[in-house]
Amino acid sequence: MAERFTAVVIGAGHAGLAASHFLTSRSIDHVVLERGEVANSWRHERWDSLRLLTPNWLNRLPGQPYDGPDPDGYMGALEVVELVERFAKTSQAPVRTGARVTSLRRLADDYVLTVSGEELRARTVVIASGAHNRARVPALGASLPASVDQVTAFDYRNPEQLAEGGALVVGASATGLQLAAELQRSGRPVTLSVGEHTRLPRTYRGRDVLWWMDATGVWDQRYDEVDDLTRARNLPSPQLVGTRERTTLDLNTLTDAGVSLVGRWAAVRDGVALFSGGLRNVFSLADLKLQRLLDGYDEWAAERELAAGPPERFEPTRVPAPSRLDLDLTNGEVRTVVWATGYRPDYDWLDVPVVDEKGQLRHDGGVVSESPGLYALGLPVLRRRKSSFIHGIEDDAREVVDHLATYLDVP
Ligand SMILES: Cc1cc2nc3c(=O)[nH]c(=O)nc-3n(C[C@H](O)[C@H](O)[C@H](O)COP(=O)(O)OP(=O)(O)OC[C@H]3O[C@@H](n4cnc5c(N)ncnc54)[C@H](O)[C@@H]3O)c2cc1C
């Protein structure tokens, strides 16, 4: 007889553990299946120098506000492992580690999971297997000369891993900027290919810029109130880095450090990388969006007569002159291409037809309506703008588990 649960949660990152927390509070019997260890992605899938972009005080989990000595600091990956492990312990989550789900299918009103070769049954399933399981690499990666190494942000750990010589970093979100800065510091000539991006200063009017996001309610905007949900779910992460000095990391900082900026990588022809022109427009758009965001914060602060430093405005992003439109990949100038072009989830194990042609799960605020009893957590803008951040899980997990309980007719 297959083992049976009312609910199964797949993944013991903070999202799966938050689901478990609310399932326990409703006395719904369940198990959390984790292919590796608790907080596996923070143990094995991050580069060495990574620090969270979110300040410590913001990294709250259900029933676990930050209570350490450094509320304004930024945790490294090992500290995040400790944070998530502590949450698993205090909420007494029934986690099974080393339990990889290789198949999930629907059978009448039940779900059947294959877990490390064994079958397991459940009335409901919460998929919390992560949004960042694989690197997203554009198709042009296949046309690079063999003399150029390629590494993704998923596999990158530190500069020593790369051959000596120039690096072309592709992507100008938080990951791309941080890796470009680190490689430049290691003494390599670095070129950064920049497309649409989200510029943010680290601090604004004396406070962490994410304090403003939190306090003004920008992050609480619900998925069904967002004008263009597909776009919101695909927005690049903000250009931020967590450092003790609370330094701003933007394109101007990188230019000052010696990084060359080029436009979006459009094609490879005869071993030559071709970049889009129009950097001026790309930069102006990001500067304009930043300006609008800060205007909104100023209005909000004025309405509340908030005691904060004076409004600040930032230098426009400088356009390199002349802008470089191509780069020969065959002459040794570029030794490694670093893809910082985003991540995607992996649903290869999911045998319920609820994944679209882009590899994304079809759901309505975490409820997979096409397959009753199936739920998701931890995806971008799942129920709110903050959904995929650590502090965003509490509201989402509570509401998704509420829905699951109603489905089961549990009071
Ligand atoms: C580079 C990077 C930086 C980030 N920085 C921040 C930040 O500063 N602040 C912030 O709030 N958020 C940040 N995030 C976003 C988010 O907090 C993390 O992605 C976080 O790990 C998501 O938690 P999760 O529980 O949804 O997924 P994960 O932590 O990825 O957990 C999913 C778990 O599911 C397991 N799993 C997957 N497939 C299976 C399977 N088939 N069977 C069993 N188990 C499986 C995995 O092993 C993993 O442990 C960052 C993300 C990335 C990628």
Side-chain angles (χ1 to χ4, degrees), residues 177-194:
L177 260 68
Q178 290 182 29
L179 301 194
E182 176 163 284
L183 290 169
Q184 183 76 27
R185 279 196 303 273
S186 76
R188 290 172 174 76
V190 175
T191 305
L192 177 67
S193 166
V194 183

Side-chain angles (χ1 to χ4, degrees), residues 85-369:
E85 267 188 331
R86 184 173 147 210
F87 181 48
K89 264 199 200 101
T90 50
S91 54
Q92 297 185 311
V95 181
R96 266 184 214 175
T97 53
R100 179 186 289 273
V101 177
T102 49
S103 158
L104 169 67
R105 61 199 163 85
R106 196 172 157 78
L107 193 68
D109 280 347
D110 263 356
Y111 287 94
V112 182
L113 298 100
T114 309
V115 186
S116 310
E118 306 265 316
E119 274 206 349
L120 201 146
R121 283 188 174 225
R123 282 287 318 280
T124 58
V125 174
V126 181
I127 299 175
S129 51
H132 304 103
N133 308 118
R134 298 255 173 97
R136 211 183 272 168
V137 176
L140 52 79
S143 13
L144 265 53
S147 57
V148 173
D149 295 340
Q150 300 186 46
V151 62
T152 68
F154 204 75
D155 303 315
Y156 173 86
R157 292 292 171 270
N158 52 55
E160 287 76 63
Q161 184 190 352
L162 267 56
E164 285 301 322
L168 169 58
V169 179
V170 191
S173 62
T175 302
L177 260 68
Q178 290 182 29
L179 301 194
E182 176 163 284
L183 290 169
Q184 183 76 27
R185 279 196 303 273
S186 76
R188 290 172 174 76
V190 175
T191 305
L192 177 67
S193 166
V194 183
E196 186 196 352
H197 57 275
T198 308
R199 181 181 180 193
L200 282 186
R202 181 70 264 182
T203 56
Y204 186 61
R205 300 179 66 178
R207 296 169 198 251
D208 192 289
V209 75
L210 299 183
W211 178 88
W212 293 90
M213 298 278 270
D214 193 42
T216 57
V218 169
W219 256 333
D220 289 319
Q221 192 184 17
R222 293 179 59 91
Y223 76 111
D224 43 11
E225 293 165 357
V226 171
D227 284 342
D228 185 345
L229 186 56
T230 308
R231 185 173 154 68
R233 286 183 169 156
N234 288 296
L235 277 183
S237 63
Q239 294 175 334
L240 285 175
V241 63
T243 61
R244 188 155 297 285
E245 302 74 28
R246 300 212 286 185
T247 39
T248 290
L249 178 64
D250 60 14
L251 296 174
N252 285 345
T253 335
L254 286 182
T255 301
D256 291 341
V259 172
S260 315
L261 305 182
V262 293
R264 199 183 156 78
W265 192 348
V268 182
R269 203 166 299 143
D270 301 327
V272 177
L274 306 176
F275 305 103
S276 309
L279 266 187
R280 187 174 301 281
N281 289 344
V282 175
F283 291 179
S284 315
L285 188 64
D287 291 350
L288 187 73
K289 281 198 272 182
L290 171 62
Q291 173 86 36
R292 279 205 205 120
L293 186 77
L294 301 181
D295 287 346
Y297 292 167
D298 291 340
E299 267 169 43
W300 179 88
E303 280 162 18
R304 283 157 188 79
E305 295 179 24
L306 185 85
E312 295 170 75
R313 288 300 172 259
F314 298 90
E315 184 199 2
T317 308
R318 277 176 264 131
V319 185
S323 238
R324 198 165 176 183
L325 295 174
D326 52 36
L327 193 52
D328 189 345
L329 298 174
T330 62
N331 65 7
E333 187 180 342
V334 172
R335 189 63 186 77
T336 311
V337 169
V338 182
W339 298 107
T341 32
Y343 305 87
R344 64 180 177 85
D346 173 13
Y347 298 122
D348 280 358
W349 47 271
L350 180 56
D351 299 316
V352 186
V354 290
V355 176
D356 69 17
E357 68 286 352
K358 294 208 164 127
Q360 301 294 334
L361 199 69
R362 284 192 295 273
H363 66 91
D364 181 7
V367 180
V368 184
S369 331

Side-chain angles (χ1 to χ4, degrees), residues 11 14-15 34-35 40-42 46 52-54 101 132 390:
H14 76 262
E34 168 55 54
R35 63 182 170 186
N40 209 53
S41 57
W42 293 103
R46 308 283 188 258
L52 291 187
L53 318 170
T54 42
V101 177
H132 304 103
I390 292 169

